[in-house]
Amino acid sequence: MSNAELIKRKIAFRQEALNSARKAYLALLSGGVKSYTIDDRELTKLDLPALERTIDKLENEIAALEGELCGKKRRKAFGIVPRDW
């Protein structure tokens, strides 16, 4: 499998996950149930801030993969340490 095919598969997977996260976010905004309890079992769905972080993360990953597919290099993080002489 070529590198481009692998990147395309990763993009498709993250796009599907992003669509699901957006649907869940909209369901919670429209008054969907966040958590409920039946007998001694409890189910809790994601909350809005967690979904916002997930959506942002997926959008950034998709952008990075699309850039990589177009031949751009990944961004590198670096830090600057100010010094007081």
Side-chain angles (χ1 to χ4, degrees), residues 11-85:
I11 291 172
F13 176 77
R14 282 171 176 76
Q15 190 66 43
E16 186 177 334
L18 178 61
N19 290 337
S20 296
R22 286 178 175 163
K23 286 178 186 176
Y25 184 83
L26 292 175
L28 280 176
L29 278 179
S30 65
V33 176
K34 185 175 176 181
S35 67
Y36 58 91
T37 305
I38 300 174
D39 293 332
D40 61 340
R41 293 180 276 170
E42 183 177 338
L43 175 70
T44 303
K45 296 182 182 180
L46 292 174
D47 56 348
L48 288 176
L51 279 171
E52 288 172 349
R53 287 190 301 272
T54 301
I55 289 170
D56 287 340
K57 179 183 172 191
L58 287 168
E59 287 173 345
N60 290 335
E61 288 177 357
I62 290 170
L65 286 169
E66 286 175 344
E68 192 175 334
L69 189 61
C70 294
K72 297 179 182 176
K73 294 183 179 180
R74 290 187 176 195
R75 291 182 1 178
K76 294 183 181 179
F78 63 92
I80 298 174
V81 179
R83 303 217 175 209
D84 188 20
W85 300 97

